[in-house]
Amino acid sequence: MIYNFTTGVSIFTNFLRNNNEELWEVYSQNEKLNEDQRNNIRDFILDACDDFSSSAELKTYKFLNDQKNITDKDKFYLLHSDTDKGQFAANIIGKILQDKGGRFATRKIENLVVKSLSEFKQGMRNYYEELEKIKNKHKGHKFNMVFVGGWKSLIPFSTTYAMVNGWEMNYIFENSNSLLTIPNIPIQYDLYLIEHLNSEAPEVTEDFIELGKFKSRMGLNTKKQIIKKYGGLVEIEENYIGLSALGQLLHDRLAEKENCEIFFSKQARDDWKNISGAVEERFKNMISELKDPVKREKRIKNYPQNSKWEINIAKKNETAERMVFFVDENKLKICEFLPAHGNDYNNWHDNPDNKNEEYYGSFKKADNLINV
């Protein structure tokens, strides 16, 4: 599991303030600490911090460990602001986690300040880009968005990001003695507006462009009309317009879907020759959803493992049809189609180790067989 912690400074505002009045005064009266001040504060906290109650981040780590049994395969990313004290807090918390056996890395988010709206918008885009880097670095892993320190202004976007990507979510209040799990509702999102922007004004999906040029291209006359149509997908900065962090999130999900290639095994190609009518349409709809990484997770019913690679079975909730597939980078490889829940499915499910790449035969692009 990859855990993403929004990291604040409660280790100073709670623990330091309550346990060392002299160092708290040094901390609170200096916006930027010199090296001696930092060393004194860090040494005191590392020596005095003998349990997990020193900060919301450490308390959350303890609850996660109690509930999920953290191992050396799990990793924690401490996402912090670009302020001196934000980075200082993340480094101290990381050192404590490391001493307690946790694997961690800190990630600085530039411009994440609430004093300036324009800087905060840029900070949101930086935050999104950092989450994407982490997600892409750990493909194939499960993720957890943990709402811990500060950053209350990020919670709406962080929740949307986690739900769109199918991540788990946890939250703990500083004075609470329990870890709250936020259910990942089956959120639906329509990519039509992003598809429209991508086709009619592709420049805006890559960078900010002149607002007048965008208005002319899209047939819109006022900022009000733009906001009414595209809502939170775009941001207008003076005379320029570009995607917001939310817009970039949905644009990248569209790109993942569009760049996914479909391959059929020899077995799947033979199966497809005997599939027609309503069953064919249901399989096409299923393949279209499987191209989307998030919807793919919602369609997977089983995760039987064999000795060579992970194979999945996908099924739409209201139908009997099942499809065996695996994912190889941006390739969706269909192994076989199971039109009914019968002996074929039971035999496959009971003997997953018997099914390997040689069993299914060569995989070939299926563009000439199916259009989804």
Side-chain angles (χ1 to χ4, degrees):
M1 180 76 79
I2 307 299
Y3 295 91
N4 295 275
F5 276 42
T6 53
T7 309
V9 294
S10 66
I11 198 162
F12 302 136
T13 56
N14 291 337
F15 182 77
L16 185 64
R17 179 169 57 183
N18 294 332
N19 291 277
N20 192 314
E21 184 176 342
E22 180 181 350
L23 286 179
W24 167 249
E25 187 173 343
V26 170
Y27 172 87
S28 59
Q29 291 184 0
N30 293 275
E31 184 175 347
K32 193 167 185 177
L33 303 167
N34 63 40
E35 186 175 354
D36 288 340
Q37 292 169 334
R38 290 167 67 90
N39 289 338
N40 290 335
I41 292 172
R42 178 170 53 253
D43 291 346
F44 170 75
I45 292 177
L46 293 179
D47 289 340
C49 178
D50 55 1
D51 59 26
F52 289 96
S53 62
S54 306
S55 74
E57 294 83 5
L58 296 174
K59 184 187 290 188
T60 302
Y61 175 85
K62 179 180 185 303
F63 284 133
L64 285 169
N65 189 40
D66 291 344
Q67 291 188 15
K68 299 179 181 292
N69 190 25
I70 301 299
T71 71
D72 58 5
K73 294 182 180 179
D74 299 308
K75 186 167 184 177
F76 294 81
Y77 282 91
L78 305 179
L79 305 167
H80 61 85
S81 70
D82 61 355
T83 64
D84 177 67
K85 291 179 179 178
Q87 187 166 356
F88 187 30
N91 288 334
I92 291 177
I93 293 166
K95 181 65 169 65
I96 295 171
L97 289 180
Q98 187 177 46
D99 292 344
K100 295 182 181 298
R103 294 174 61 226
F104 84 98
T106 61
R107 290 292 184 270
K108 179 171 66 174
I109 312 299
E110 300 279 358
N111 302 114
L112 205 57
V113 295
V114 296
K115 295 179 181 179
S116 166
L117 178 59
S118 61
E119 281 191 66
F120 180 74
K121 288 180 178 179
Q122 181 59 51
M124 286 286 288
R125 288 190 286 272
N126 295 338
Y127 176 55
Y128 165 74
E129 290 173 3
E130 193 58 54
L131 291 174
E132 287 290 286
K133 290 178 184 177
I134 294 170
K135 178 171 70 73
N136 293 329
K137 182 178 180 179
H138 299 281
K139 287 183 177 179
H141 289 74
K142 292 187 176 181
F143 293 84
N144 191 317
M145 181 75 78
V146 188
F147 304 105
V148 190
W151 293 27
K152 292 179 176 61
S153 55
L154 281 186
I155 289 178
F157 175 78
S158 299
T159 303
T160 302
Y161 183 92
M163 289 188 174
V164 166
N165 284 288
W167 289 14
E168 293 183 17
M169 289 175 284
N170 286 111
Y171 174 79
I172 183 172
F173 185 67
E174 287 181 3
N175 297 322
S176 172
N177 289 316
S178 63
L179 185 70
L180 304 177
T181 297
I182 304 172
N184 194 312
I185 63 173
I187 188 171
Q188 299 293 321
Y189 51 92
D190 191 347
L191 295 175
Y192 163 73
L193 287 175
I194 289 293
E195 290 174 333
H196 183 63
L197 286 173
N198 216 25
S199 63
E200 299 298 325
E203 306 97 321
V204 83
T205 65
E206 299 173 4
D207 201 353
F208 276 69
I209 66 172
E210 291 182 4
L211 183 59
K213 180 179 179 180
F214 181 83
K215 288 179 180 178
S216 176
R217 182 82 61 84
M218 310 307 284
L220 301 170
N221 298 318
T222 65
K223 291 182 181 180
K224 185 176 181 179
Q225 288 177 329
I226 293 172
I227 297 302
K228 182 178 180 180
K229 181 167 184 176
Y230 296 105
L233 298 180
V234 297
E235 288 179 352
I236 298 174
E237 294 286 350
E238 296 182 351
N239 293 318
Y240 291 87
I241 184 170
L243 291 183
S244 65
L246 175 61
Q248 193 67 54
L249 167 61
L250 295 183
H251 174 265
D252 289 350
R253 292 298 79 77
L254 172 64
E256 288 184 31
K257 179 179 179 181
E258 293 300 314
N259 292 333
C260 182
E261 297 180 295
I262 308 298
F263 286 75
F264 281 7
S265 71
K266 183 179 184 305
Q267 173 76 45
R269 295 195 299 274
D270 290 341
D271 290 341
W272 195 251
K273 295 175 184 176
N274 300 313
I275 295 173
S276 61
V279 174
E280 178 182 349
E281 290 305 312
R282 285 196 288 270
F283 272 127
K284 285 183 176 181
N285 289 336
M286 199 184 303
I287 292 173
S288 179
E289 290 194 350
L290 292 177
K291 290 177 67 177
D292 185 319
V294 178
K295 293 183 179 179
R296 182 187 305 154
E297 290 296 322
K298 300 181 186 306
R299 286 289 166 240
I300 292 175
K301 295 302 176 185
N302 302 283
Y303 294 89
Q305 299 284 320
N306 71 11
S307 57
K308 293 189 66 174
W309 25 271
E310 179 179 302
I311 308 178
N312 308 295
I313 282 189
K315 175 184 181 294
K316 288 184 76 70
N317 293 334
E318 70 279 6
T319 65
E321 292 83 13
R322 288 166 168 79
M323 190 167 62
V324 182
F325 74 96
F326 69 100
V327 178
D328 179 10
E329 294 183 349
N330 69 327
K331 298 179 177 65
L332 179 67
K333 295 191 172 181
I334 311 299
C335 301
E336 63 179 297
F337 295 95
L338 304 172
H341 190 185
N343 291 333
D344 288 343
Y345 169 74
N346 293 331
N347 290 337
W348 183 90
H349 189 274
D350 293 341
N351 300 286
D353 279 329
N354 295 335
K355 308 296 191 297
N356 54 35
E357 199 157 356
E358 292 179 359
Y359 173 88
Y360 285 117
S362 62
F363 285 83
K364 294 183 179 180
K365 287 191 72 171
D367 295 348
N368 61 327
L369 296 176
I370 185 170
N371 182 23
V372 294

